[in-house]
């Protein structure tokens, strides 16, 4: 039986994919895949997604060079979320941080704080169009 | 500025929350929160969610006793995903596994394999109604 039969894509044909750094265990980002981007991810060993805001198929790192080499793909009990272990080149976040999760809610639950420094300057990584 | 102003709930008023075991780094589950469940999570220090299938507010562990003590909440660059570090009691998965991500896609990308044994028998943990 194909594992695709275990998956539930949502009404827009999408499934969320949590991306985790296999070496450190850090969660790097969450993005959405459709079936085509999942197939391309499996075929190439590099993560591919579907951008909901841009309505566009994209490969992580296609502009920045910060690609993700896939090490393992797991899926949850409900079949509606993917967890992808990767080897991350450079910064996972388009804002230049290693992980997109660089802001923590303060202990008083009112404000938040930035928990790390960016790895790279996004203006230098992404070409302006 | 409140961190709530940084968050983007979707058209149904929901935001996905990735739950990670703070001690081991293992991703345990992904579930959805609305603003009320996030507020309750912050207020009580235990994770609360919104079930899309049951259309119901719920606390993780309310039936099983397998609660999640919140250690840290971070949010991503786009403000549309939460990452919650927890101390997990027992099994995070309703199927009895420590993590909901207990199935891995095989290297030939055709089938899948179960990667661990359940911690508990769900029939003994969840009362039948």
């Amino acid at each position: 039986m194909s594992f695709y039969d275990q998956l539930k894509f949502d009404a827009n044909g999408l499934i969320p994919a949590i991306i985790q750094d296999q070496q450190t265990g850090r969660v790097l980002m969450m993005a959405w895949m459709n079936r085509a981007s999942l197939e391309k991810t499996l075929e190439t060993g590099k993560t591919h997604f579907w951008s909901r805001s841009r309505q566009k198929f994209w490969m992580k790192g296609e502009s920045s060079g910060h690609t993700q080499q896939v090490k393992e793909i797991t899926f949850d009990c409900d079949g509606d979320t993917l967890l992808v272990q990767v080897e991350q080149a450079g910064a996972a976040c388009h804002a230049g941080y290693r992980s997109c999760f660089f802001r923590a809610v303060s202990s008083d639950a009112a404000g938040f704080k930035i928990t790390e420094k960016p790895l790279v300057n996004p203006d230098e990584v992404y070409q302006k169009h």
Side-chain angles (χ1 to χ4, degrees), chain A residues 11-127:
Chain A
N12 297 312
L14 301 176
I15 189 166
I18 302 164
I19 309 299
Q20 186 172 28
D21 184 323
Q22 191 185 40
Q23 201 161 15
T24 65
R26 183 147 190 216
V27 175
L28 299 172
M29 56 184 275
M30 205 275 272
W32 295 78
M33 290 186 177
N34 57 16
R35 175 141 181 170
S37 57
L38 178 53
E39 286 174 346
K40 196 74 176 173
T41 297
L42 285 161
E43 182 192 321
T44 62
K46 305 272 186 192
T47 54
H48 289 72
F49 302 100
W50 176 259
S51 168
R52 298 177 304 168
S53 55
R54 294 179 290 148
Q55 288 286 303
K56 187 174 173 293
F57 186 88
W58 62 291
M59 184 185 85
K60 174 65 192 164
E62 65 190 4
S63 303
S64 64
H66 295 165
T67 54
Q68 295 170 335
Q69 183 69 43
V70 175
K71 296 298 182 181
E72 188 180 58
I73 301 180
T74 55
F75 54 98
D76 73 349
C77 49
D78 295 328
D80 61 8
T81 307
L82 300 171
L83 173 62
V84 184
Q85 303 291 335
V86 302
E87 189 180 305
Q88 172 73 55
C93 182
H94 76 286
Y97 294 85
R98 175 70 178 174
S99 163
C100 295
F101 297 93
F102 58 85
R103 292 178 295 181
V105 177
S106 302
S107 51
D108 63 1
F112 62 90
K113 58 174 191 282
I114 292 175
T115 55
E116 69 190 78
K117 292 197 169 153
L119 270 188
V120 297
N121 178 348
D123 291 343
E124 292 169 7
V125 170
Y126 295 94
Q127 292 179 1

